[in-house]
């Protein structure tokens, strides 16, 4: 087979007119290669972990520390300390290094358990989670009403099926005659 | 105070469960939040992809605010100052901060050594509550925050906390030389900014790849670049090779990260089963589209566990990969000048201004890309 292509077919015209682009080339720098993040290398880390550390934040909540560190950092976040079953799993996970699946997979499991604990905690405080609101359905209703209605219809159909199956199996008979006057008023 | 409260994947609410934060360290400040964004990387938390994202946490690493209280060692700010708060927590003293690696501070995240401390971004990034609230704690306030100039719009200022520096650094790490062809994967806010900033380094051609047409239309106009839908291209790698004299792009930028679409196996393993640190489709394409000896710049966020990438091609092509979280503090002086001169106009990417109390709807709109959403900004009632 002969090569029927010509070099011209592959020519890349780099003489692009960029005159209409405000600021074109203002940060161009032939010295920008190698570039950040190793551009300003001073080998500070060769001195070891010996810099003057900032004052230590008092530790008033439980902080889970990476086993790859000798200490807790000078500052840290205090949001949502580990608690409950998810907290127990997190404590175990932090016994593994950041290079181990034993660290990360249990943390994802703990996150999911934390969701259930969150619901239980809410109910314990007398808050019944408003799933519709928390999942942002007002946005869906405003901008994609057709999809919202489809999802409501599907959820209603599934609920109706489940209720029907349960009622049929248990042989429960419901008297729905109390709905008649209500429906008449609505109509 | 009103604050966003994470309740689990795809579930957030606004409530009053948290008090106004207190000074916990002499270098702390407390700010009254004036603007707070939802970032594309917040969606990784929202979708449950980042390990150790605990129920009850307040997200938000992109915010500006007014100082209401200062720790005893913060001498360069005063109560009432309006500040840009970089998303990184940086001490300014460690070996990494001293080299300008403010996104890699070693004194801000006890939970991981690979990740610096980031505000409002899970315990994997330090366990700090974030700025999607009426008030927020800002550690090392003497190092990170920068005064908002009088002339600057708050909407511009809030985008300087993350997406503008991240996009700029994506281009910077590409080591772009005059005339280079730069391909940006992802037309989200960071990809849009990376495309815009690539010109500042002298790119000769900028190509953006995504599949959301409203974003492609936007980036074509905003960043004056070419933009293509990968679903219409067939194989985007072949397209890029064909359009770059068969050799490949000089620089490829991954501005997508762990939620990339375009490959069913990656989507299944990375986004559905969480068996790898996210879907690596954009990174795959970047590695395979760049020229031999080219540079791949990664600013897309991936999870900490293993991820499938064609490392053999990295070796065989002699590719340089540069990646990092943006060093916001380092870049702010230059970027403020670029906004002042009109070279950069960040606020044009804001498509939705939503009251903080409607945070759940805001997340849903952004996550589902409803109403052509590119960048939502949350505004507290007391702002």
């Amino acid at each position: 087979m002969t090569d029927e292509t010509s070099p011209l077919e592959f020519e890349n015209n780099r003489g692009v007119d960029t005159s209409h682009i405000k600021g074109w080339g203002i940060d161009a720098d032939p010295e920008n290669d190698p570039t950040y993040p190793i551009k300003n290398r001073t080998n500070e880390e060769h001195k070891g972990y010996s810099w003057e550390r900032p004052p230590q934040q008092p530790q008033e909540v439980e902080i889970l520390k990476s086993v790859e560190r000798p200490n807790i950092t000078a500052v840290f976040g205090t949001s949502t300390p580990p608690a409950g079953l998810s907290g127990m799993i997190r404590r175990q996970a932090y016994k593994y290094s950041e290079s181990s699946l034993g660290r990360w997979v249990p943390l994802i499991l703990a996150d999911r358990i934390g969701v259930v604990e969150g619901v239980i905690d809410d109910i314990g405080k007398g808050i019944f989670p408003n799933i519709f609101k928390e999942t942002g359905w007002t946005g869906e209703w405003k901008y994609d009403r057709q999809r919202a209605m489809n999802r409501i219809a599907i959820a209603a159909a599934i609920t109706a099926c489940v209720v029907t199956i349960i009622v049929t199996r248990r042989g429960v008979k419901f008297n729905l005659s109390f709905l008649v006057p209500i429906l008449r008023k609505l109509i | 105070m009103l604050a966003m409260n994470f309740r689990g994947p795809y579930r957030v609410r606004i409530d009053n469960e948290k008090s106004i934060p207190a000074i916990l360290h002499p270098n702390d400040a407390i700010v009254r939040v004036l603007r707070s964004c939802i970032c594309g990387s917040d969606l990784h938390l929202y979708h449950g992809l980042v390990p150790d994202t605990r129920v009850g946490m307040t997200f938000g690493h992109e915010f500006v605010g007014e100082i209401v209280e200062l720790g005893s060692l913060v001498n360069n700010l005063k109560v009432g100052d309006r500040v840009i708060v970089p998303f990184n927590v940086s001490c300014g003293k460690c070996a990494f901060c001293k080299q300008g690696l403010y996104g890699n501070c070693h004194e801000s995240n006890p939970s991981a050594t690979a990740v610096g401390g980031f505000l409002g971004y899970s315990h994997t990034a330090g366990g700090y509550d974030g700025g999607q609230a009426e008030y927020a704690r800002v550690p090392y306030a003497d190092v990170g925050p920068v005064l908002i100039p009088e002339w600057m719009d708050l909407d511009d200022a809030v985008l300087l906390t993350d997406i503008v520096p991240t996009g700029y650094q994506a281009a910077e790490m590409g080591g772009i030389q005059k005339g280079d062809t730069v391909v940006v994967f992802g037309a989200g806010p960071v990809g849009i900014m990376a495309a815009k900033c690539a010109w500042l380094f002298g790119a000769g051609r900028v190509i953006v790849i995504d599949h959301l047409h409203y974003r492609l239309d936007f980036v074509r106009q905003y960043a004056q670049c070419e933009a293509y839908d990968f679903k219409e291209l067939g194989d985007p790698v072949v397209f890029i090779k064909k359009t770059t004299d068969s050799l490949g792009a000089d620089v490829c930028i991954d501005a997508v990260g762990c939620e990339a679409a375009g490959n069913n196996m990656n989507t299944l393993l990375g986004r559905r089963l969480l068996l790898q640190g996210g879907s690596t489709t954009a990174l795959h394409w970047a590695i395979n589209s760049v020229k031999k000896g080219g540079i791949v710049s990664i600013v897309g966020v991936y999870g900490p566990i293993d991820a499938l990438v064609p490392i053999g091609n990295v070796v065989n092509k002699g590719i340089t990969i540069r990646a990092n979280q943006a060093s916001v503090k380092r870049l702010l002086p230059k970027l403020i000048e670029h906004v002042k001169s009109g070279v950069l106009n960040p606020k044009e990417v804001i498509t939705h201004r939503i009251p903080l109390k409607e945070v759940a709807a805001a997340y849903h709109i952004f996550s589902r890309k409803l109403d052509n959403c590119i960048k939502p900004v949350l505004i507290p009632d007391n702002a």
Side-chain angles (χ1 to χ4, degrees):
Chain A
M1 181 182 285
T2 53
D3 182 357
E4 295 178 353
T5 60
S6 85
L8 287 177
E9 290 179 48
F10 300 108
E11 191 173 79
N12 184 5
N13 177 16
R14 296 199 173 205
V16 182
D17 179 11
T18 53
S19 58
H20 60 296
I21 293 169
K22 188 172 183 179
W24 183 84
I26 58 173
D27 291 337
D29 176 7
E31 301 295 315
N32 187 36
D33 193 7
T35 181
Y36 189 85
I38 57 165
K39 189 172 188 178
N40 299 317
R41 183 171 181 171
T42 61
N43 294 332
E44 281 284 329
E45 64 277 12
H46 289 189
K47 299 171 192 165
Y49 192 175
S50 59
W51 55 82
E52 182 196 349
R53 299 188 67 213
Q56 180 65 50
Q57 177 181 332
Q59 188 183 338
E60 292 171 356
V61 297
E62 182 181 359
I63 300 297
L64 298 178
K65 180 183 77 66
S66 168
V67 294
E68 296 177 39
R69 291 190 60 87
N71 55 9
I72 286 182
T73 47
V75 303
F76 47 82
T78 55
S79 177
T80 53
L85 175 60
S86 64
M88 291 167 66
I89 296 169
R90 291 185 209 283
R91 288 183 197 104
Q92 290 301 312
Y94 271 85
K95 291 179 179 174
Y96 292 86
S97 85
E98 293 161 50
S99 69
S100 169
L101 284 179
R103 161 73 174 269
W104 303 111
V105 174
L107 284 176
I108 292 171
L109 174 67
D111 291 344
R112 300 299 179 266
I113 290 171
V115 175
V116 179
E117 290 174 334
V119 172
I120 294 168
D121 188 46
D122 271 347
I123 292 171
K125 291 176 186 168
I127 303 167
F128 195 80
N130 185 338
I131 302 295
F132 277 97
K133 201 168 179 184
E134 289 178 359
T135 51
W137 265 65
T138 48
E140 184 94 2
W141 188 253
K142 187 172 180 182
Y143 294 115
D144 195 354
R145 190 162 297 182
Q146 184 60 52
R147 184 172 183 267
M149 290 174 73
N150 289 347
R151 293 178 72 177
I152 291 169
I154 291 167
I158 292 171
T159 306
C161 289
V162 170
V163 170
T164 304
I165 290 167
I166 292 171
V167 168
T168 308
R169 284 194 174 172
R170 289 185 179 173
V172 177
K173 290 178 182 173
F174 285 109
N175 182 355
L176 299 178
S177 59
F178 71 95
L179 286 173
V180 174
I182 297 171
L183 289 171
R184 275 185 184 154
K185 273 188 181 178
L186 286 174
I187 294 165
Chain B
M1 66 166 181
L2 276 183
M4 175 271 198
N5 183 334
F6 176 67
R7 305 311 299 168
Y10 297 90
R11 281 179 55 214
V12 300
R13 71 179 179 224
I14 192 84
D15 60 30
N16 283 300
E17 285 193 12
K18 288 179 182 167
S19 308
I20 294 174
I23 298 285
L24 300 177
H25 184 275
N27 296 94
D28 280 358
I30 307 300
V31 301
R32 180 171 66 87
V33 176
L34 300 171
R35 295 284 187 282
S36 177
C37 292
I38 302 176
C39 180
S41 55
D42 284 329
L43 294 182
H44 308 329
L45 300 173
Y46 179 69
H47 295 156
L49 297 177
V50 179
D52 215 357
T53 303
R54 301 182 193 170
V55 165
M57 193 166 195
T58 298
F59 300 165
H61 57 274
E62 298 181 359
F63 61 95
V64 293
E66 181 181 294
I67 304 280
V68 295
E69 192 179 358
L70 287 169
S72 59
L73 293 182
V74 184
N75 300 314
N76 57 333
L77 298 171
K78 60 182 189 302
V79 170
D81 282 347
R82 293 182 161 204
V83 288
I84 298 166
V85 181
F87 75 89
N88 338 93
V89 182
S90 345
C91 73
K93 293 186 171 183
C94 72
F96 307 101
C97 285
K98 279 182 179 171
Q99 294 177 88
L101 301 167
Y102 291 102
N104 309 98
C105 175
H106 207 63
E107 292 288 2
S108 56
N109 179 11
S111 304
T113 55
V115 190
F118 308 139
L119 295 165
Y121 207 77
S122 85
H123 280 69
T124 292
Y128 300 94
D129 276 326
Q132 288 166 12
E134 289 181 313
Y135 295 87
R137 173 194 170 212
V138 179
Y140 298 136
D142 54 327
V143 178
V146 170
L147 286 175
I148 301 174
E150 289 287 329
W151 50 264
M152 184 176 277
D153 193 308
L154 285 177
D155 286 348
D156 280 325
V158 74
L159 297 176
L160 290 176
T161 60
D162 182 353
I163 69 154
V164 180
T166 299
Y168 185 91
Q169 187 172 302
E172 182 191 37
M173 290 193 299
I176 298 168
Q177 301 294 303
K178 281 191 174 174
D180 273 358
T181 295
V182 179
V183 177
V184 180
F185 291 94
V190 169
I192 291 167
M193 284 299 164
K196 182 91 175 166
C197 292
W199 294 120
L200 307 187
F201 289 93
R205 190 177 178 195
V206 179
I207 300 168
V208 175
I209 305 289
D210 201 295
H211 67 112
L212 297 169
H213 279 223
Y214 75 92
R215 291 187 173 192
L216 292 169
D217 291 342
F218 181 87
V219 74
R220 259 185 220 111
Q221 189 178 13
Y222 180 81
Q224 297 156 290
C225 61
E226 300 167 53
Y228 300 99
D229 176 356
F230 63 74
K231 289 182 176 169
E232 293 172 359
L233 294 177
D235 186 333
V237 173
V238 173
F239 167 78
I240 290 163
K241 289 283 171 62
K242 281 185 177 172
T243 196
T244 54
D245 53 9
S246 83
L247 299 179
D250 301 291
V251 176
C252 284
I253 294 172
D254 172 4
V256 182
C258 66
E259 297 202 56
N263 179 286
N264 291 333
M265 185 184 74
N266 262 323
T267 299
L268 178 68
L269 293 177
R271 295 169 62 187
R272 306 286 177 245
L273 301 178
L274 304 185
L275 291 178
Q276 60 171 351
S279 166
T280 55
T281 306
L283 184 52
H284 236 270
W285 288 342
I287 289 169
N288 288 322
S289 302
V290 79
K291 70 181 180 184
K292 293 172 184 172
I295 297 171
V296 171
S297 168
I298 310 172
V299 290
V301 172
Y302 290 93
I305 61 174
D306 315 17
L308 296 171
V309 292
I311 197 69
N313 287 353
V314 175
V315 176
N316 292 329
K317 294 170 77 174
I319 294 168
T320 298
I321 294 180
R322 294 205 183 94
N324 209 339
Q325 297 286 348
S327 181
V328 179
K329 167 76 177 176
R330 178 180 66 88
L331 293 170
L332 274 178
K334 178 177 281 186
L335 295 175
I336 288 171
E337 282 306 308
H338 284 344
V339 175
K340 188 176 185 181
S341 66
V343 168
L344 295 176
N345 38 8
K347 69 182 176 210
E348 286 186 24
V349 305
I350 297 174
T351 51
H352 292 72
R353 291 172 176 81
I354 299 172
L356 172 65
K357 59 192 172 197
E358 294 175 23
V359 67
Y363 265 92
H364 187 82
I365 290 165
F366 193 31
S367 170
R368 287 255 301 115
K369 314 283 187 290
L370 297 173
D371 195 35
N372 290 349
C373 185
I374 293 175
K375 189 69 179 174
V377 175
L378 301 168
I379 306 174
D381 279 350
N382 64 351

